[in-house]
Amino acid sequence: MEHPKNPTVESPYLTAAEAAAYLRLEESTLNAMRWRKEGPNWRKHGGKVVYHRDALDRWSRMRDSDPAVRKASNGDMSGDDARS
């Protein structure tokens, strides 16, 4: 039986391009926000910048127009997604 050389793995880690698409932003916008330390938390895996899907969702919730949603998200800042 033949095994695929590059099996598809479902990962919660998104590249900058994937994260930008997920947030419906331009990749250059997401990169600029990272440099200004204004964007979602990110990590480096083997020198590659990646974003955890939960961090993107949390960052987005913090920009919700409903203050109750922002307040509920405010206490949910896990140290697991700390900036590298």
Side-chain angles (χ1 to χ4, degrees), residues 2 7-8 13 25 33 41 43 52 67 76 83-84:
E2 188 92 13
T8 303
Y13 298 102
L25 297 172
M33 290 186 335
N41 289 347
R43 303 169 185 198
H52 194 282
D76 189 25
R83 293 186 194 273
S84 301

Side-chain angles (χ1 to χ4, degrees), residues 27-56:
E27 185 178 358
S28 60
T29 301
L30 185 60
N31 289 336
M33 290 186 335
R34 184 177 72 245
W35 283 104
R36 292 190 309 258
K37 297 182 178 6
E38 297 172 356
N41 289 347
W42 53 277
R43 303 169 185 198
K44 273 198 169 181
H45 289 183
K48 179 179 256 188
V49 172
V50 294
Y51 294 85
H52 194 282
R53 194 177 312 266
D54 291 344
L56 299 175

